[in-house]
Amino acid sequence: MNQSASIIYIKEENFYLEVYLDPFNKRIRIDDYRGNTQLVLEKAEELARMHHAEKLIMKVRSEDFFHLLEKGLQPETVVDRYFLGSDAHFFSKFYTVERKKNEHWITEDGMIHSIYQLDSSFDKPYPPKEYELKKADESCAEELSGLYREVFQIYPTPLHDPDYVKKTMKEGTVYYVFFHQGKIVSAASAEVNSFYKNAELTDCATLKEHRKYGLMKIILRELEGELKQQGIYCAYSIARSLSFGMNAVLYQLGYKYRGRLMNNCYIYDKLENMNMWVKNLANG
């Protein structure tokens, strides 16, 4: 099976499916569906078997919550107001014993507890004047890829490839970056779903020697402002559950913890759990 991810659309007489095939992370994600929920689920399971997926993820509308529970899937997280103001519940099913095992869960529970003890007030940091914030364009693609290669040994999407970065920009993903002495040292993006009016804040990376100046908080605030200008108020971010710093940044920016996706994707140097954080940008 090809290692690059792809989106397929399935239209049958009684249902419609939008499917994200993700062979690199050995998973399949149902991003959208309409029609007969039972047939949708049967098709999703068929695809999971066909593609030898270890994990199936499905973004589920609130009205289908109990149907998915009855069918043996488990809710892992929720994104408030994802579907044009209606909540999306992320349900999962695992197909191998190994994919369901995890040694870090209790540690990560403790980290969330610790983060909620932090001061949640946000003081806008002011980095030294040598740092310059910019909205990235396609001319930044090569350097952005270099940053992601340097920060992440493994990444769940092919951001190490400049052509992929350019492709995401053409599809509406917005990147903001900090330059230091002409070099990109920090970056993040907003992956916009223009139909359902939500955005995932993602691809957060800062070189280790530049992490003491709060650059990521400034970038995420800038991205939030851009989203509000587009009339998008549902913002969410999925952070590595073992990264205290990134989870703390989201908490201090007013995001709320909404659960954890177990063994969700290969990132940093292994298969990791990912925490979901959600914010209603209309509230501030």
Side-chain angles (χ1 to χ4, degrees):
M1 188 177 173
N2 192 322
Q3 285 293 294
S4 59
S6 58
I7 298 171
I8 61 170
Y9 303 91
I10 298 171
K11 295 179 183 176
E12 302 279 353
E13 188 179 356
N14 294 319
F15 67 90
Y16 161 85
L17 267 182
E18 181 184 327
V19 186
Y20 183 75
L21 301 174
D22 189 357
F24 178 76
N25 294 298
K26 300 175 185 173
R27 63 183 183 175
I28 283 177
R29 194 177 68 222
I30 308 302
D31 282 337
D32 203 4
Y33 66 94
R34 289 194 295 278
N36 186 308
T37 309
Q38 177 59 32
L39 294 177
V40 162
L41 189 52
E42 287 173 10
K43 188 67 177 179
E45 293 238 51
E46 181 189 315
L47 288 166
R49 288 190 297 271
M50 185 191 308
H51 293 285
H52 308 290
E54 295 177 355
K55 183 177 185 181
L56 170 67
I57 304 165
M58 189 167 170
K59 298 176 184 176
V60 175
R61 290 166 174 77
S62 296
E63 54 268 30
D64 296 321
F65 186 94
F66 291 108
H67 181 79
L68 271 287
L69 270 186
E70 288 169 357
K71 295 301 177 183
L73 281 79
Q74 62 187 76
E76 290 197 297
T77 69
V78 60
V79 176
D80 322 18
R81 301 174 177 84
Y82 178 96
F83 291 115
L84 280 174
S86 181
D87 297 348
H89 302 268
F90 284 54
F91 272 79
S92 293
K93 183 169 183 176
F94 296 85
Y95 294 94
T96 67
V97 173
E98 290 72 26
R99 189 79 176 217
K100 192 71 172 72
K101 285 180 182 171
N102 197 269
E103 298 173 1
H104 303 290
W105 199 266
I106 304 303
T107 303
E108 292 165 356
D109 280 347
M111 189 187 294
I112 292 297
H113 178 76
S114 300
I115 283 167
Y116 266 81
Q117 311 310 308
L118 297 173
D119 180 5
S120 61
S121 61
F122 175 75
D123 295 321
K124 186 173 180 182
Y126 292 96
K129 60 181 185 305
E130 304 90 65
Y131 289 89
E132 186 183 7
L133 180 65
K134 281 187 178 178
K135 185 177 178 179
D137 58 25
E138 288 185 33
S139 69
C140 301
E142 191 79 47
E143 211 176 331
L144 271 168
S145 288
L147 172 74
Y148 291 117
R149 277 194 299 272
E150 199 166 335
V151 174
F152 297 104
Q153 187 180 326
I154 304 172
Y155 203 69
T157 58
L159 281 173
H160 295 172
D161 177 3
D163 289 335
Y164 176 79
V165 174
K166 288 177 186 174
K167 177 175 173 280
T168 63
M169 288 177 176
K170 287 188 175 85
E171 291 169 352
T173 297
V174 180
Y175 292 81
Y176 270 88
V177 300
F178 262 109
F179 282 91
H180 181 262
Q181 296 178 348
K183 181 187 176 187
I184 294 175
V185 297
S186 183
S189 73
E191 196 175 302
V192 176
N193 183 327
S194 54
F195 184 81
Y196 284 118
K197 299 295 183 189
N198 63 59
E200 179 183 357
L201 297 186
T202 184
D203 307 331
C204 302
T206 304
L207 294 178
K208 195 169 280 185
E209 59 271 29
H210 299 277
R211 288 180 188 166
K212 55 186 175 226
Y213 299 117
L215 304 179
M216 190 51 63
K217 284 183 184 176
I218 301 171
I219 288 176
L220 292 177
R221 272 287 166 100
E222 204 68 28
L223 286 167
E224 288 177 356
E226 181 104 7
L227 293 173
K228 288 203 278 190
Q229 285 178 9
Q230 294 184 36
I232 293 169
Y233 304 107
C234 169
Y236 67 99
S237 191
I238 303 173
R240 290 176 54 237
S241 300
L242 289 168
S243 170
F244 185 91
M246 195 61 231
N247 286 280
V249 163
L250 291 165
Y251 171 73
Q252 290 176 323
L253 284 171
Y255 288 75
K256 306 296 183 190
Y257 175 68
R258 289 292 184 259
R260 194 174 314 145
L261 293 154
M262 180 186 277
N263 290 334
N264 194 57
C265 57
Y266 290 90
I267 187 168
Y268 200 64
D269 60 1
K270 61 183 175 301
L271 187 64
E272 294 204 16
N273 303 331
M274 303 293 283
N275 288 335
M276 180 71 77
W277 294 87
V278 179
K279 183 176 182 179
N280 182 356
L281 300 181
N283 292 340

